[in-house]
Amino acid sequence: MADGAELSFAQLGLDPRILQAVCELGWAQPTLIQARAIPLALEGKDVLARAKTGSGKTAAYALPLLQHLLRRKASPTVAEQAVRGLILVPTKELGRQVLQMLRQLAAYCARDLRLVDISGQADFAAQRPLLMEKPDVVVGTPSRVLAHLQAQNLSLRDSLEILVMDEADLLFSFGFEEDLKSLLCHLPQIYQSFLMSATLNEDIQALKELVLHNPVTLRLQESQLPDSSQLSQFQIQCETEEDKFLLLYALLKLALLRGKVILFVGSIGRCYRLKLFLEQFSIPACVLNSELPVQSRCHIISQFNRGFYDYIVATDEHDLAEPEGPREGERKRRRRRKGSKAEKGRDQEYGVSRGIDFQNVSAVLNFDLPPSVESYIHRAGRTARADNPGTALTLVLPSERGPLAKIEAALTAESGETTLQPYQFRMEEIEGLRYRCQDAMRSVTKQAIKEARLREIKEELLNSEKLKTYFEDNPRDLGLLRHDQPLHPAIVKPHLRNVPEYLVPPTLRAVIQRRLGQRRRRKPLPPRAKGQRNPLRSFKGTRKQKTGAGR
Ligand code: AMP
């Protein structure tokens, strides 16, 4: 993934302990943004970088930050422990991921550096002692960092040396503008800053004035998505909503879409409709949306990355309201500040289509059309990461052809390539499956969706408590907690589990038999031994008193 960069990591002059960690990660060469940004950062320059998603931007600021801290700590004049690095992120998921990357890169100097993420932990008071120890780096959302500054749990005025704003454009669009401005008043006069952003829009210009001093601007990629040799992009015309469900059923059940897939839908209700629909065919899937507690969300992403699940049905609610222009952005920010009805019950710091490193995703399927070009880019950017290949498929109804054409035109203008190719698929070949699809769709009533949604939230709130407490003491059991269990087992019809051979399109029979055979032979995940119970089922008696969360 060198992207034409000639430098090696060793030539960047990094500490041998950092180089060892990089080597362990299997990174052969710096990515383009790393090769360009790291030397500038090590010279002490402020950097404003626009980098495409999946370009290795986290390490582009994390490596010089760690290098700086190790150098400072080795200096005989600096003895005092202090918070020298602050990384601001727009979402809790990204906070967790950034901390993970820092930990991996600091694996061989873990004793020398204390790293803390305060974005994900819900309990404000519990974070106080962590901050009192003055970790070298604090990762957090602006609102949480500001709250700690105001509560005097954290002080940066005399110690901060490096400030990072990751996904900086989102920091503004998530309504953090006021928090950011207040937060800046708690910082010293002089510090080095890195601003990483997917776009260099007006908000970023404003932020640039506020935090950067004579920055070097790196506009490395004109196109935000990999080119067609790495990312294949298709559109599939569907005549009706039912066709979308039929097609999805065929793509997954006949193993036409293989590997890990993220299915993007337009609302939380649709998340559950799709999950329940797939459940009918015994296709397990996790849902991911802003209603779920953050512990569960992070656990789902981490298990997905470890290969526990093949399918995630996700919403990208923040991008649904992504501003098209400055005035819309302002309206949205105001709406968020006020906490409109639609926003209530949702986590304002939720975000899965931006910045989150879902690993080895072979395909992104836009089951529902993304609402904007930005949204399309961020969804499609969940696949074809690092130097892996990937596919983005978009299902499109007749009424959506106009909006899709706009997205397509913008993508073509940006990349200079024709983008969304028509996916060659003959719907008539899967007509035999329509009856089953209709049967499954009929079972997924509004009531069933409502019940599933309530049940899932209840279940995940309990899980979340356990993730916080039980699993802290029993990390080995963490892998046994699953998020893809059927939500409405009562409506599942066992006869839909398998596709009888006479329904498989004749042209596909041979290849499908081979693929399904391979799939059956695949080692089952997760590694729950036979007879071993889900720890949460037996959790009731042991922890009930402490957490009050027994089932
Ligand atoms: P990011 O853009 O920071 O989210 O990184 C995207 C992915 O690229 C992550 O999975 C990183 O682990 C991976 N990555 C970062 N730097 C390199 C590198 N130099 N070589 C290979 N993979 C990398």
Side-chain angles (χ1 to χ4, degrees), residues 1 9 26-31 34 52-59 97 101 355 357 359 385-386:
M1 124 163 228
F9 278 109
W27 298 354
Q29 264 185 298
T31 64
Q34 290 162 2
K52 78 176 179 188
T53 181
S55 60
K57 67 181 168 55
T58 317
Q97 188 177 294
M101 169 95 342
D357 189 23
Q359 285 159 14
R385 291 177 76 76

Side-chain angles (χ1 to χ4, degrees), residues 108 142 149 173 219 270 290 311 328 336 403 411 499 533 541 550:
Y108 291 95
L149 285 166
S173 74
R219 284 189 181 84
R270 299 276 285 174
S290 63
Y311 309 122
E328 268 156 272
R336 289 226 168 96
L411 291 173
V499 182
R533 298 176 65 207

Side-chain angles (χ1 to χ4, degrees), residues 1-2 9 22 25-34 51-61 63 94 97 101 104-105 166-167 355-360 382 385-388:
M1 124 163 228
F9 278 109
V22 164
L25 284 166
W27 298 354
Q29 264 185 298
T31 64
L32 182 59
I33 180 157
Q34 290 162 2
K52 78 176 179 188
T53 181
S55 60
K57 67 181 168 55
T58 317
Y61 64 74
L63 288 169
L94 191 59
Q97 188 177 294
M101 169 95 342
Q104 283 175 322
L105 295 173
D166 199 352
E167 300 282 350
I356 298 303
D357 189 23
F358 288 98
Q359 285 159 14
N360 302 320
R382 297 313 99 202
R385 291 177 76 76
D387 49 4
N388 297 315

Side-chain angles (χ1 to χ4, degrees), residues 176-329:
F176 284 132
E177 195 179 347
E178 294 304 318
D179 290 341
L180 270 178
K181 283 187 182 149
S182 313
L183 194 154
L184 294 176
C185 302
H186 292 262
L187 305 189
Q189 287 283 317
I190 297 173
Y191 51 88
Q192 190 183 3
S193 314
F194 309 136
L195 228 133
M196 319 303 280
S197 178
T199 51
L200 299 181
N201 57 20
E202 279 176 34
D203 284 344
I204 293 303
Q205 292 307 324
L207 206 52
K208 183 176 156 187
E209 309 284 308
L210 285 175
V211 296
L212 297 171
H213 315 273
N214 272 336
V216 180
T217 304
L218 299 175
R219 284 189 181 84
L220 297 179
Q221 301 283 341
E222 281 314 309
S223 170
Q224 294 187 63
L225 288 172
D227 65 26
S228 55
S229 63
Q230 193 185 345
L231 173 68
S232 314
Q233 301 179 71
F234 296 103
Q235 52 178 305
I236 312 182
Q237 305 286 337
C238 297
E239 286 311 311
T240 60
E241 174 77 356
E242 185 183 294
D243 281 357
K244 292 209 297 190
F245 282 85
L246 174 61
L247 191 67
L248 177 67
Y249 167 39
L251 288 174
L252 299 188
K253 203 67 194 177
L254 300 179
L256 298 173
L257 210 53
R258 301 167 73 197
K260 293 202 283 183
V261 182
I262 303 181
L263 306 149
F264 277 106
V265 289
S267 68
I268 299 180
R270 299 276 285 174
C271 255
Y272 291 100
R273 176 176 287 278
L274 217 56
K275 178 174 162 80
L276 290 176
F277 173 76
L278 295 175
E279 217 167 274
Q280 303 288 299
F281 303 106
S282 303
I283 301 174
C286 301
V287 292
L288 202 54
N289 60 59
S290 63
E291 266 183 4
L292 301 178
V294 65
Q295 310 279 352
S296 300
R297 277 156 23 201
C298 292
H299 193 231
I300 291 168
I301 295 168
S302 121
Q303 286 192 324
F304 182 74
N305 284 344
R306 287 160 61 203
F308 281 32
Y309 312 121
D310 277 341
Y311 309 122
I312 285 190
V313 185
T315 56
D316 51 355
E317 294 140 59
H318 277 292
D319 289 329
L320 295 181
E322 191 99 333
E324 297 292 341
R327 287 179 60 208
E328 268 156 272

Side-chain angles (χ1 to χ4, degrees), residues 17-50:
R17 289 166 288 177
I18 297 181
L19 288 176
Q20 201 175 346
V22 164
C23 179
E24 193 121 304
L25 284 166
W27 298 354
Q29 264 185 298
T31 64
L32 182 59
I33 180 157
Q34 290 162 2
R36 297 284 300 280
I38 294 172
L40 293 168
L42 292 177
E43 278 173 34
K45 298 227 162 62
D46 281 6
V47 176
L48 166 58
R50 177 193 160 182

Side-chain angles (χ1 to χ4, degrees), residues 16 154 386 411 415:
L154 173 69
L411 291 173
S415 65

